[in-house]
Structure formats: structure tokens, C-alpha cells
mmCIF file of all heavy atoms in Angstrom:
data_model
loop_
_atom_site.group_PDB
_atom_site.id
_atom_site.type_symbol
_atom_site.label_atom_id
_atom_site.label_comp_id
_atom_site.label_asym_id
_atom_site.label_seq_id
_atom_site.Cartn_x
_atom_site.Cartn_y
_atom_site.Cartn_z
ATOM 1 N N GLU A 640 16.572 8.449 3.745
ATOM 2 C CA GLU A 640 17.282 8.307 2.466
ATOM 3 C C GLU A 640 18.797 8.346 2.677
ATOM 4 O O GLU A 640 19.542 7.549 2.111
ATOM 5 C CB GLU A 640 16.838 9.429 1.531
ATOM 6 C CG GLU A 640 17.484 9.414 0.173
ATOM 7 C CD GLU A 640 17.003 10.587 -0.667
ATOM 8 O OE1 GLU A 640 15.787 10.851 -0.703
ATOM 9 O OE2 GLU A 640 17.874 11.241 -1.277
ATOM 10 N N GLU A 641 19.245 9.267 3.507
ATOM 11 C CA GLU A 641 20.680 9.397 3.789
ATOM 12 C C GLU A 641 21.211 8.147 4.475
ATOM 13 O O GLU A 641 22.283 7.640 4.138
ATOM 14 C CB GLU A 641 20.910 10.626 4.673
ATOM 15 C CG GLU A 641 22.344 10.900 5.004
ATOM 16 C CD GLU A 641 22.522 12.197 5.784
ATOM 17 O OE1 GLU A 641 21.535 12.822 6.215
ATOM 18 O OE2 GLU A 641 23.684 12.597 5.945
ATOM 19 N N LEU A 642 20.465 7.621 5.440
ATOM 20 C CA LEU A 642 20.903 6.427 6.164
ATOM 21 C C LEU A 642 20.846 5.188 5.287
ATOM 22 O O LEU A 642 21.710 4.316 5.375
ATOM 23 C CB LEU A 642 20.071 6.249 7.437
ATOM 24 C CG LEU A 642 20.199 7.396 8.445
ATOM 25 C CD1 LEU A 642 19.266 7.173 9.621
ATOM 26 C CD2 LEU A 642 21.635 7.563 8.915
ATOM 27 N N TRP A 643 19.831 5.092 4.428
ATOM 28 C CA TRP A 643 19.765 3.969 3.496
ATOM 29 C C TRP A 643 20.989 3.976 2.587
ATOM 30 O O TRP A 643 21.537 2.934 2.265
ATOM 31 C CB TRP A 643 18.491 4.019 2.648
ATOM 32 C CG TRP A 643 17.301 3.372 3.278
ATOM 33 C CD1 TRP A 643 17.247 2.143 3.878
ATOM 34 C CD2 TRP A 643 15.988 3.912 3.375
ATOM 35 N NE1 TRP A 643 15.980 1.902 4.347
ATOM 36 C CE2 TRP A 643 15.181 2.977 4.050
ATOM 37 C CE3 TRP A 643 15.411 5.102 2.956
ATOM 38 C CZ2 TRP A 643 13.834 3.177 4.309
ATOM 39 C CZ3 TRP A 643 14.071 5.297 3.218
ATOM 40 C CH2 TRP A 643 13.296 4.355 3.895
ATOM 41 N N GLY A 644 21.419 5.155 2.203
ATOM 42 C CA GLY A 644 22.585 5.291 1.336
ATOM 43 C C GLY A 644 23.872 4.832 1.989
ATOM 44 O O GLY A 644 24.881 4.620 1.322
ATOM 45 N N MET A 645 23.861 4.654 3.301
ATOM 46 C CA MET A 645 25.040 4.197 4.044
ATOM 47 C C MET A 645 25.053 2.682 4.214
ATOM 48 O O MET A 645 25.909 2.148 4.894
ATOM 49 C CB MET A 645 25.054 4.838 5.433
ATOM 50 C CG MET A 645 25.271 6.311 5.431
ATOM 51 S SD MET A 645 25.104 7.015 7.087
ATOM 52 C CE MET A 645 26.015 5.890 8.101
ATOM 53 N N GLY A 646 24.072 2.013 3.661
ATOM 54 C CA GLY A 646 24.024 0.562 3.798
ATOM 55 C C GLY A 646 23.220 0.087 4.993
ATOM 56 O O GLY A 646 23.362 -1.034 5.436
ATOM 57 N N MET A 647 22.389 0.942 5.552
ATOM 58 C CA MET A 647 21.574 0.577 6.701
ATOM 59 C C MET A 647 20.187 0.114 6.270
ATOM 60 O O MET A 647 19.271 0.091 7.083
ATOM 61 C CB MET A 647 21.423 1.774 7.646
ATOM 62 C CG MET A 647 22.665 2.238 8.308
ATOM 63 S SD MET A 647 22.282 3.662 9.356
ATOM 64 C CE MET A 647 23.239 3.293 10.797
ATOM 65 N N GLY A 648 20.010 -0.243 5.029
ATOM 66 C CA GLY A 648 18.701 -0.508 4.446
ATOM 67 C C GLY A 648 17.800 -1.466 5.189
ATOM 68 O O GLY A 648 16.727 -1.085 5.646
ATOM 69 N N ASP A 649 18.197 -2.737 5.300
ATOM 70 C CA ASP A 649 17.314 -3.746 5.882
ATOM 71 C C ASP A 649 17.003 -3.466 7.348
ATOM 72 O O ASP A 649 15.849 -3.503 7.764
ATOM 73 C CB ASP A 649 17.915 -5.148 5.734
ATOM 74 C CG ASP A 649 17.955 -5.616 4.294
ATOM 75 O OD1 ASP A 649 17.185 -5.071 3.464
ATOM 76 O OD2 ASP A 649 18.754 -6.514 3.990
ATOM 77 N N LEU A 650 18.035 -3.193 8.129
ATOM 78 C CA LEU A 650 17.828 -2.908 9.547
ATOM 79 C C LEU A 650 16.968 -1.658 9.713
ATOM 80 O O LEU A 650 16.015 -1.641 10.490
ATOM 81 C CB LEU A 650 19.164 -2.725 10.263
ATOM 82 C CG LEU A 650 19.088 -2.317 11.729
ATOM 83 C CD1 LEU A 650 18.363 -3.369 12.563
ATOM 84 C CD2 LEU A 650 20.477 -2.052 12.285
ATOM 85 N N LEU A 651 17.294 -0.635 8.975
ATOM 86 C CA LEU A 651 16.561 0.624 9.072
ATOM 87 C C LEU A 651 15.101 0.449 8.668
ATOM 88 O O LEU A 651 14.202 0.964 9.330
ATOM 89 C CB LEU A 651 17.234 1.681 8.207
ATOM 90 C CG LEU A 651 16.772 3.106 8.394
ATOM 91 C CD1 LEU A 651 17.077 3.585 9.801
ATOM 92 C CD2 LEU A 651 17.450 4.008 7.384
ATOM 93 N N SER A 652 14.869 -0.300 7.603
ATOM 94 C CA SER A 652 13.495 -0.549 7.154
ATOM 95 C C SER A 652 12.698 -1.283 8.224
ATOM 96 O O SER A 652 11.550 -0.939 8.503
ATOM 97 C CB SER A 652 13.496 -1.353 5.852
ATOM 98 O OG SER A 652 14.055 -0.602 4.812
ATOM 99 N N SER A 653 13.319 -2.294 8.834
ATOM 100 C CA SER A 653 12.641 -3.045 9.899
ATOM 101 C C SER A 653 12.348 -2.162 11.101
ATOM 102 O O SER A 653 11.253 -2.210 11.669
ATOM 103 C CB SER A 653 13.496 -4.229 10.341
ATOM 104 O OG SER A 653 13.645 -5.145 9.298
ATOM 105 N N MET A 654 13.331 -1.356 11.478
ATOM 106 C CA MET A 654 13.145 -0.467 12.622
ATOM 107 C C MET A 654 12.063 0.576 12.330
ATOM 108 O O MET A 654 11.250 0.891 13.197
ATOM 109 C CB MET A 654 14.465 0.213 12.996
ATOM 110 C CG MET A 654 15.478 -0.733 13.584
ATOM 111 S SD MET A 654 17.055 0.058 13.932
ATOM 112 C CE MET A 654 16.654 0.976 15.416
ATOM 113 N N PHE A 655 12.063 1.105 11.135
ATOM 114 C CA PHE A 655 11.076 2.112 10.763
ATOM 115 C C PHE A 655 9.673 1.502 10.764
ATOM 116 O O PHE A 655 8.732 2.095 11.296
ATOM 117 C CB PHE A 655 11.408 2.702 9.393
ATOM 118 C CG PHE A 655 10.526 3.854 9.027
ATOM 119 C CD1 PHE A 655 10.736 5.102 9.578
ATOM 120 C CD2 PHE A 655 9.483 3.687 8.147
ATOM 121 C CE1 PHE A 655 9.926 6.173 9.255
ATOM 122 C CE2 PHE A 655 8.653 4.752 7.812
ATOM 123 C CZ PHE A 655 8.887 5.995 8.369
ATOM 124 N N GLU A 656 9.534 0.298 10.204
ATOM 125 C CA GLU A 656 8.232 -0.376 10.179
ATOM 126 C C GLU A 656 7.739 -0.665 11.594
ATOM 127 O O GLU A 656 6.580 -0.432 11.922
ATOM 128 C CB GLU A 656 8.354 -1.678 9.387
ATOM 129 C CG GLU A 656 7.045 -2.411 9.217
ATOM 130 C CD GLU A 656 7.222 -3.691 8.410
ATOM 131 O OE1 GLU A 656 8.008 -3.701 7.450
ATOM 132 O OE2 GLU A 656 6.568 -4.688 8.777
ATOM 133 N N PHE A 657 8.645 -1.149 12.455
ATOM 134 C CA PHE A 657 8.287 -1.407 13.844
ATOM 135 C C PHE A 657 7.861 -0.113 14.529
ATOM 136 O O PHE A 657 6.854 -0.065 15.245
ATOM 137 C CB PHE A 657 9.463 -2.046 14.596
ATOM 138 C CG PHE A 657 9.206 -2.215 16.059
ATOM 139 C CD1 PHE A 657 8.386 -3.236 16.511
ATOM 140 C CD2 PHE A 657 9.771 -1.353 16.981
ATOM 141 C CE1 PHE A 657 8.127 -3.392 17.867
ATOM 142 C CE2 PHE A 657 9.525 -1.499 18.333
ATOM 143 C CZ PHE A 657 8.700 -2.525 18.782
ATOM 144 N N SER A 658 8.619 0.948 14.307
ATOM 145 C CA SER A 658 8.321 2.247 14.904
ATOM 146 C C SER A 658 6.939 2.734 14.506
ATOM 147 O O SER A 658 6.176 3.240 15.330
ATOM 148 C CB SER A 658 9.379 3.255 14.474
ATOM 149 O OG SER A 658 9.004 4.551 14.799
ATOM 150 N N GLU A 659 6.628 2.579 13.232
ATOM 151 C CA GLU A 659 5.331 3.004 12.711
ATOM 152 C C GLU A 659 4.191 2.236 13.393
ATOM 153 O O GLU A 659 3.192 2.819 13.819
ATOM 154 C CB GLU A 659 5.323 2.761 11.204
ATOM 155 C CG GLU A 659 4.286 3.494 10.440
ATOM 156 C CD GLU A 659 4.514 3.367 8.933
ATOM 157 O OE1 GLU A 659 5.147 2.406 8.461
ATOM 158 O OE2 GLU A 659 4.035 4.269 8.226
ATOM 159 N N LYS A 660 4.360 0.930 13.547
ATOM 160 C CA LYS A 660 3.320 0.100 14.172
ATOM 161 C C LYS A 660 3.194 0.383 15.664
ATOM 162 O O LYS A 660 2.084 0.452 16.190
ATOM 163 C CB LYS A 660 3.612 -1.384 13.925
ATOM 164 C CG LYS A 660 3.405 -1.773 12.479
ATOM 165 C CD LYS A 660 3.763 -3.215 12.230
ATOM 166 C CE LYS A 660 3.558 -3.554 10.767
ATOM 167 N NZ LYS A 660 3.925 -4.936 10.470
ATOM 168 N N LEU A 661 4.321 0.566 16.337
ATOM 169 C CA LEU A 661 4.282 0.867 17.765
ATOM 170 C C LEU A 661 3.633 2.230 17.999
ATOM 171 O O LEU A 661 2.814 2.387 18.905
ATOM 172 C CB LEU A 661 5.698 0.834 18.359
ATOM 173 C CG LEU A 661 5.798 1.016 19.869
ATOM 174 C CD1 LEU A 661 5.066 -0.108 20.613
ATOM 175 C CD2 LEU A 661 7.261 1.071 20.297
ATOM 176 N N SER A 662 3.957 3.191 17.177
ATOM 177 C CA SER A 662 3.384 4.529 17.292
ATOM 178 C C SER A 662 1.863 4.493 17.116
ATOM 179 O O SER A 662 1.134 5.221 17.801
ATOM 180 C CB SER A 662 4.019 5.452 16.259
ATOM 181 O OG SER A 662 3.433 6.720 16.303
ATOM 182 N N ALA A 663 1.397 3.642 16.215
ATOM 183 C CA ALA A 663 -0.041 3.540 15.951
ATOM 184 C C ALA A 663 -0.815 3.043 17.173
ATOM 185 O O ALA A 663 -2.010 3.309 17.306
ATOM 186 C CB ALA A 663 -0.291 2.611 14.762
ATOM 187 N N LEU A 664 -0.125 2.346 18.090
ATOM 188 C CA LEU A 664 -0.787 1.870 19.309
ATOM 189 C C LEU A 664 -1.092 3.004 20.275
ATOM 190 O O LEU A 664 -1.924 2.859 21.163
ATOM 191 C CB LEU A 664 0.082 0.815 20.013
ATOM 192 C CG LEU A 664 0.308 -0.483 19.244
ATOM 193 C CD1 LEU A 664 1.293 -1.370 20.001
ATOM 194 C CD2 LEU A 664 -1.002 -1.206 18.999
ATOM 195 N N ASP A 665 -0.386 4.131 20.121
ATOM 196 C CA ASP A 665 -0.592 5.326 20.951
ATOM 197 C C ASP A 665 -0.555 4.979 22.443
ATOM 198 O O ASP A 665 -1.470 5.332 23.199
ATOM 199 C CB ASP A 665 -1.912 5.995 20.565
ATOM 200 C CG ASP A 665 -1.980 7.425 21.058
ATOM 201 O OD1 ASP A 665 -0.915 8.067 21.195
ATOM 202 O OD2 ASP A 665 -3.105 7.903 21.333
ATOM 203 N N LEU A 666 0.509 4.293 22.853
ATOM 204 C CA LEU A 666 0.654 3.875 24.251
ATOM 205 C C LEU A 666 1.039 5.054 25.140
ATOM 206 O O LEU A 666 1.817 5.918 24.732
ATOM 207 C CB LEU A 666 1.728 2.791 24.366
ATOM 208 C CG LEU A 666 1.502 1.495 23.591
ATOM 209 C CD1 LEU A 666 2.705 0.569 23.738
ATOM 210 C CD2 LEU A 666 0.233 0.800 24.049
ATOM 211 N N SER A 667 0.502 5.043 26.347
ATOM 212 C CA SER A 667 0.920 6.044 27.341
ATOM 213 C C SER A 667 2.328 5.657 27.810
ATOM 214 O O SER A 667 2.816 4.561 27.526
ATOM 215 C CB SER A 667 -0.048 6.038 28.530
ATOM 216 O OG SER A 667 0.076 4.809 29.243
ATOM 217 N N ASP A 668 2.976 6.536 28.557
ATOM 218 C CA ASP A 668 4.307 6.228 29.091
ATOM 219 C C ASP A 668 4.263 4.977 29.966
ATOM 220 O O ASP A 668 5.166 4.143 29.913
ATOM 221 C CB ASP A 668 4.849 7.405 29.898
ATOM 222 C CG ASP A 668 5.253 8.581 29.018
ATOM 223 O OD1 ASP A 668 5.397 8.398 27.782
ATOM 224 O OD2 ASP A 668 5.427 9.684 29.563
ATOM 225 N N GLU A 669 3.222 4.859 30.758
ATOM 226 C CA GLU A 669 3.084 3.697 31.639
ATOM 227 C C GLU A 669 2.915 2.420 30.826
ATOM 228 O O GLU A 669 3.538 1.395 31.118
ATOM 229 C CB GLU A 669 1.900 3.873 32.601
ATOM 230 C CG GLU A 669 2.078 4.977 33.619
ATOM 231 C CD GLU A 669 1.764 6.383 33.072
ATOM 232 O OE1 GLU A 669 1.243 6.511 31.930
ATOM 233 O OE2 GLU A 669 2.060 7.355 33.789
ATOM 234 N N GLU A 670 2.069 2.467 29.801
ATOM 235 C CA GLU A 670 1.853 1.288 28.952
ATOM 236 C C GLU A 670 3.129 0.917 28.197
ATOM 237 O O GLU A 670 3.454 -0.266 28.072
ATOM 238 C CB GLU A 670 0.721 1.552 27.952
ATOM 239 C CG GLU A 670 -0.644 1.668 28.600
ATOM 240 C CD GLU A 670 -1.705 2.234 27.670
ATOM 241 O OE1 GLU A 670 -1.378 3.053 26.772
ATOM 242 O OE2 GLU A 670 -2.885 1.857 27.846
#
């Protein structure tokens, strides 16, 4: 919320969505 308030909305939303999807893959460090 704080970062969105700084005008980081679109980039932050994309990064957050990507992060969520990558995390769901539960990759090991090697993967």
C-alpha cells in the first residue's frame, strides 16, 4: 500500500503477481 502510494502501482503489481506465481512453483535453489 505504501509503495503503491508512491506511484509504483503498475510495476509493483506486475512484480507482485510474478512473485506469487513463481513462489507457487516451490522451486529448490538449484531449480
